Structures are given as C-alpha cells and as structure tokens.
Amino acid sequence: MYNAVMLNAVESSVELANLWNRVFGDDLSYVYRFYHHFQDKLEVLAQTTEEGEVVCATHFIPVGYRFFRREHKGSYLYAAMTAPEHRGHNLMGDLLKRRIRQAYQNGELFMCTLPAEPSLYDLYRRFGLEPTFSLHRATLTRERLTAMRLTLSFESRVSPGYAYDNSYARRELTVVKDRRFVEY
C-alpha cells in the first residue's frame, strides 16, 4: 500500500536526494544545490510506503508567461522519479492526476515539462500533456564548426550575442554558453 503525500523539499532532502541519485545517477551535491536553490518555490508530491519510505516523487516549480498584459500561471514538472522496484504500480500516474486536478483548482492554466527521453512523451500524453515543440541538441567540434563557414571565428573574443547576430549561426543555430548548439 502506498500513500500520496506533500513533502517539504528541505526537510525531506536526504530521502529525496537518495531516490534522485538512484533513479538518475546525478551527484548528490548537485541534487542538494537544486533543493536549496528552489526551497521556497518547489512543490514536491511523493508516494511513500506504509513504512514511510519515499519511492516516487514529482517536483513542480511555479512558472508563468505573459501574453500582452495578462500573466498566466502554470507549473513546470521536473525530475519525476520512481524507484525501479516500485514501477508498474501507477504511482507516477496517480501523482500526476492529483497534481493536475490541484493545479486546475488553484487557477493554473498550463503544466509544462521537457522529457529527458523521447519515450516519456507517450507517458505524459496519457495525462493530457501534448508536445508543442521539441529541442534537438548536438555538441559541435571545432572542425565541424569551422566547416560550416560561419562569418566569425569560434575563437573570436567578441560577445556570443554579437557573434550570433552577425553570423550564419543566426539562421541555423543558437549558441549556448557551454558551447552546445540548439538547432531550430
């Protein structure tokens, strides 16, 4: 038997971080920084066993967008995770249904996420989330970048914004700080 509960991310950070580490393999120091950074904003829904062990959790960060003068509030679903030995019991599905109902009652107009794997799109589709766009990422080597014949050298000391606005990249690639490029 499982229980759906709301958790305080800071008070439960050790249990949540250990589950996160088991499911995603991320370094614990990264996970603790995440909880510390979002501690005042983060909403965590979890499933626990009768013994109180956290076996499934979802993180929701409040977000919004402005369209003309109207602000629309929503939430960003992040790090949805279930311990491997507890999968197949619809734990995540139960949490998502609860949170979607709660969000609607609280006046949220949307929920968004960026699935880590293409297979997760089907999971989220079952709960009414629809793909609206996708990002494709690729890390480019200096050789591949040079072969693209950008108008400014990658080694240039000009700002990335200037390089982006004044190069072939503007039409084809978006330059991100860590030298990754997102095609659109």
Side-chain angles (χ1 to χ4, degrees), residues 16-108:
L16 289 167
N18 287 332
L19 177 61
W20 186 319
N21 176 263
R22 285 182 53 218
V23 172
F24 301 121
D26 292 335
D27 181 64
L28 288 174
S29 63
Y30 164 80
V31 181
Y32 287 126
R33 279 194 313 274
F34 171 82
Y35 286 127
H36 177 73
H37 182 75
F38 288 104
Q39 67 184 338
D40 297 332
K41 302 171 191 81
L42 192 62
E43 188 177 308
V44 181
L45 276 176
Q47 295 275 14
T48 62
T49 62
E50 289 179 353
E51 296 78 31
E53 176 190 5
V54 177
V55 295
C56 178
T58 55
H59 303 78
F60 298 94
I61 302 168
V63 294
Y65 74 92
R66 183 176 301 278
F67 185 70
F68 292 101
R69 288 194 163 100
R70 292 197 61 194
E71 175 90 20
H72 301 282
K73 70 178 189 174
S75 55
Y76 180 78
L77 168 62
Y78 189 76
M81 55 195 175
T82 304
E85 64 274 14
H86 292 276
R87 291 180 183 156
H89 299 285
N90 198 33
L91 299 177
M92 183 64 62
D94 182 49
L95 291 180
L96 289 174
K97 285 178 198 172
R98 287 173 185 266
R99 182 54 175 75
I100 290 169
R101 253 192 323 269
Q102 176 189 349
Y104 179 75
Q105 292 168 350
N106 291 336
E108 289 185 18

